Amino acid sequence: MVKRYNVLFILVLLFFAVEIFIVQHYCTNISFERDVSYKISRLIIDLGWVLVIFSCVKKCAYPFVVFFTILFSFVVLSYSFEFRSPLFFTTILYQAREAAALLPDFWKILDKKLLIFLSFVFVTNVIVFDKYTFTLNRASKRFMFILGVVILSGTTCWMNATAANFVIKLNKIAKADLFEHYGFLITWTAEKILLDESELLQTFPDRPLSNKITKKIGRLPSCSSIVVVQAESLDFEVLNLRLEDREVTPFLNQVIEDGCFCKIKAPHILGSASSDCMVLTQKPRSKHVLGYLLDGYDFTSPSTLVSMAKKNGYSCNFYHGYNGTFFNRRKALGKMGFAKILFEEDFPKGTRSTCLSRDCLLDGQLFDFMSSFVVENKKQLDFCITLTAHTPFTTLSLDKCKMLKEPVTLCDNYLNSINYFDSVLGKYVMASKTGTLFLIYGDHNSHVEVAGGESVFVPYILFKKTPDGVCSPVGQKGFVEGQYSLEDVAENIGSIFR
């Protein structure tokens, strides 16, 4: 009878190990057909961990083990679905503060279906463990512990021996490969032990930016006034979108007819700061750590956007409606040579909204301040980052919600935020100097199902202010065919000064 229960218990633990294995798989986004031998080995490793853990805890603690496993699964799966990447320990170390800022609004943006499913898994596991497990005697626990250690050490050593390049892979941080082969704990531990800042700096590709857009439309012309707008969560699908015969973005719809625009694939990687960091430094981004967060990152290079602009006689200004400590932007941008760097805390005190549990400026307020700093007869480059359309899209007060007066869903709030951005952007453009070149791009997709499904595309919109409206700054007008990335956008913006 005892042997029968031992077999049942092992089967229950194997069932639990398979659950962990499946979570690891969906966090790496790699097909099951790839590296089958490594998948089998990782499943054995998972079983080894389960044996060790359950041999060290009492039966009354099993539900807590299951609970924390489910909680861990929810965190890593939510991150993976949001950023299309496994959660690296490096990300936890460097961006814990930014993650904490999201916690008060987390309920508004979390995946309710995933939460319900994992809650069901938790209840099922507790029932299974309660019914098919029993209090192990000391000999059984010792045997389980030794078996688990042997499985872990043997399988890990075999995998390292056959791979023979674990450290090399780790130093290059081969994306999901290490997670697919070893799971989270081994990879996280190795990250902590082996990766310092000098190694992290090597994760930034040492190559020029992709230049597909410039090849297609040519270099952008130099103008005395240039405005670059990184628009928060601006999906491509909102352009020309209508709700009850009303346009969500009437100003941008007119602009893309008379100007020029591209469709950009822009998945959410590490946060919006990775987008503006790439544009400003004119270097490809790392998928694992933000350049802003590394003290050793070179922000004074002659190839940065600010350095090239200053060499061409431009005065450069940076504007953002949020706090400068977020993503360490203020410290990093201070090294670039901006003439003026203004975050939310630098603007005159007055009416504030709230985003990510902190005071912020609405896009309209930000554009009004930018207009007040325009200097006539001076070459000027203004770079601004909008904020109103940041997840969970609740920055606007109801009196400013013009698209949907009584928003209910996340999508309702998003469309109101984008409609507001479009309105205040139009006012800002119309009040700007004739001849101003505007370059507007979305930092990443919104993760909102706007037009029948979630989009991974954002627009890159180029136009020049004229006495009669706007026009294309290049030879091509309207939509530019092709597949492009934010790298192509960054390079095209920098082409003005090369």
Side-chain angles (χ1 to χ4, degrees), residues 250-266:
F251 174 73
L252 287 178
N253 294 346
Q254 183 60 47
V255 161
I256 60 177
E257 286 186 13
D258 300 327
C260 175
F261 73 112
C262 309
K263 188 175 185 179
I264 310 299
K265 189 172 184 179

Side-chain angles (χ1 to χ4, degrees), residues 103-300:
L103 290 179
D105 294 316
F106 188 60
W107 177 257
K108 301 174 185 175
I109 61 177
L110 62 79
D111 189 330
K112 305 296 193 302
K113 293 179 181 178
L114 177 62
L115 180 62
I116 293 171
F117 174 73
L118 289 179
S119 298
F120 170 76
V121 172
F122 170 70
V123 173
T124 302
N125 281 344
V126 170
I127 294 173
V128 169
F129 273 95
D130 182 67
K131 184 174 181 179
Y132 293 106
T133 63
F134 64 101
T135 303
L136 297 171
N137 58 40
R138 188 170 297 176
S140 297
K141 283 191 171 185
R142 188 183 300 116
F143 173 75
M144 280 179 56
F145 180 81
I146 294 173
L147 179 60
V149 170
V150 170
I151 288 175
L152 282 173
S153 57
T155 309
T156 304
C157 290
W158 175 80
M159 292 175 72
N160 284 341
T162 54
N165 61 350
F166 178 81
V167 174
I168 295 175
K169 276 190 171 186
L170 185 68
N171 288 344
K172 293 182 178 179
I173 308 192
K175 193 55 179 169
D177 288 356
L178 290 175
F179 290 95
E180 184 69 1
H181 294 171
Y182 299 94
F184 280 90
L185 186 57
I186 293 176
T187 304
W188 280 5
T189 303
E191 276 188 85
K192 177 61 178 174
I193 295 172
L194 300 176
L195 288 185
D196 55 20
E197 184 169 302
S198 62
E199 298 288 352
L200 289 172
L201 287 170
Q202 295 179 27
T203 67
F204 291 83
D206 185 18
R207 57 172 174 78
L209 292 169
S210 174
N211 62 348
K212 294 179 183 178
I213 294 178
T214 301
K215 283 183 177 180
K216 188 77 172 182
I217 67 175
R219 291 176 54 185
L220 296 180
S222 177
C223 300
S224 61
S225 179
I226 303 171
V227 176
V228 181
V229 178
Q230 179 170 292
E232 178 66 45
S233 304
L234 179 62
D235 280 344
F236 187 88
E237 276 67 20
V238 299
L239 301 179
N240 290 316
L241 179 66
R242 304 179 73 92
L243 292 179
E244 298 178 355
D245 293 328
R246 293 179 59 202
E247 295 177 304
V248 176
T249 57
F251 174 73
L252 287 178
N253 294 346
Q254 183 60 47
V255 161
I256 60 177
E257 286 186 13
D258 300 327
C260 175
F261 73 112
C262 309
K263 188 175 185 179
I264 310 299
K265 189 172 184 179
H268 200 175
I269 299 176
L270 294 176
S272 59
S274 66
S275 301
D276 53 273
C277 185
M278 180 167 58
V279 174
L280 291 172
T281 61
Q282 292 288 292
K283 295 178 181 178
R285 59 186 171 185
S286 166
K287 295 181 180 179
H288 314 284
V289 65
L290 290 171
Y292 289 148
L293 301 174
L294 300 178
D295 291 333
Y297 195 88
D298 185 9
F299 295 104
T300 60

Side-chain angles (χ1 to χ4, degrees), residues 438-439 479 482:
F438 286 89
L439 307 170
F479 182 62

Side-chain angles (χ1 to χ4, degrees), residues 422-490:
D422 179 82
S423 174
V424 296
L425 175 67
K427 294 175 183 177
Y428 171 63
V429 171
M430 291 301 103
S432 65
K433 293 192 300 184
T434 297
T436 300
L437 174 64
F438 286 89
L439 307 170
I440 302 169
Y441 65 93
D443 57 351
H444 55 73
N445 61 321
S446 68
H447 299 286
V448 175
E449 296 185 0
V450 175
E454 181 183 328
S455 169
V456 295
F457 297 99
V458 301
Y460 173 42
I461 304 170
L462 313 84
F463 61 91
K464 188 174 181 180
K465 173 75 180 301
T466 67
D468 301 322
V470 302
C471 70
S472 173
V474 292
Q476 187 163 345
K477 180 180 177 181
F479 182 62
V480 179
E481 296 285 350
Q483 296 182 345
Y484 309 107
S485 69
L486 279 174
E487 264 200 44
D488 298 301
V489 173

Side-chain angles (χ1 to χ4, degrees), residues 307-344:
S307 295
M308 292 191 295
K310 289 174 66 177
K311 186 177 180 180
N312 284 269
Y314 284 81
S315 173
C316 303
N317 307 308
F318 179 91
Y319 307 90
H320 192 7
Y322 202 56
N323 192 283
T325 61
F326 209 66
F327 290 126
N328 201 39
R329 275 191 176 107
R330 181 183 292 280
K331 183 178 178 181
L333 298 178
K335 301 175 183 179
M336 290 188 184
F338 279 100
K340 195 183 274 86
I341 300 176
L342 296 175
F343 288 94
E344 175 274 328

